[in-house]
Amino acid sequence: MNAPERASSFLLDEDIGEVKVTYSADTKVSNAGTFRFNKEDHTVANILRMQLLRDPMVRFAGYIHPHPLVHFFDFKIQTNSSTVAPQEVLSSAIEDLSNETDHLITAFTDALDDWKKENEKGVMGL
């Protein structure tokens, strides 16, 4: 078949030196840069964009996913101040998302345990 391997759309090829994220500073604006995320799509890009736009230090955050068959996106970040680098706000956004995910997992697990305790009596009583 003429189709590429499915895993090639999400697994990095370390044999050829593929890396997950690369950064290039903007040559025209001192507090802006572009990150290229390999083997990712709109799912990660949109979550990162929304998290970055919550940060008051971020002036602009946007991405472009050139084509559905191309497995990368370019993410542009511009900060409000030249003292805050795009790498710093991206790192902070990823950390915040990790904390939110941990909180969601904990809340879900607690709610599931509570539900099981409440419904255990009804199941055992049958």
Side-chain angles (χ1 to χ4, degrees), residues 19-121:
V19 293
K20 190 63 153 182
V21 181
T22 57
Y23 175 74
S24 59
D26 194 319
T27 57
K28 297 178 183 175
V29 181
S30 64
N31 56 337
T34 303
F35 297 86
R36 174 164 286 184
F37 288 81
N38 286 316
K39 308 296 184 179
E40 294 296 346
D41 61 7
H42 288 288
T43 306
V44 171
N46 197 37
I47 291 171
L48 277 175
R49 182 183 63 86
M50 293 303 295
Q51 186 65 35
L52 281 163
L53 290 175
R54 292 178 185 171
D55 189 340
M57 294 303 296
V58 174
R59 176 175 291 161
F60 175 81
Y63 70 92
I64 184 169
H65 187 205
H67 191 275
L69 295 177
V70 177
H71 304 292
F72 70 85
F73 64 87
D74 289 331
F75 203 98
K76 177 97 170 185
I77 300 173
Q78 182 181 3
T79 60
N80 289 334
S81 169
S82 60
T83 60
V84 180
Q87 298 96 322
E88 293 175 34
V89 293
L90 179 63
S91 178
S92 175
I94 292 170
E95 177 108 11
D96 292 344
L97 286 170
S98 176
N99 292 338
E100 285 183 36
T101 304
D102 291 343
H103 174 71
L104 284 172
I105 290 170
T106 302
F108 175 79
T109 305
D110 293 345
L112 183 61
D113 290 343
D114 292 344
W115 182 86
K116 285 180 179 178
K117 287 177 187 173
E118 290 174 4
N119 292 307
E120 188 175 82
K121 297 172 192 169

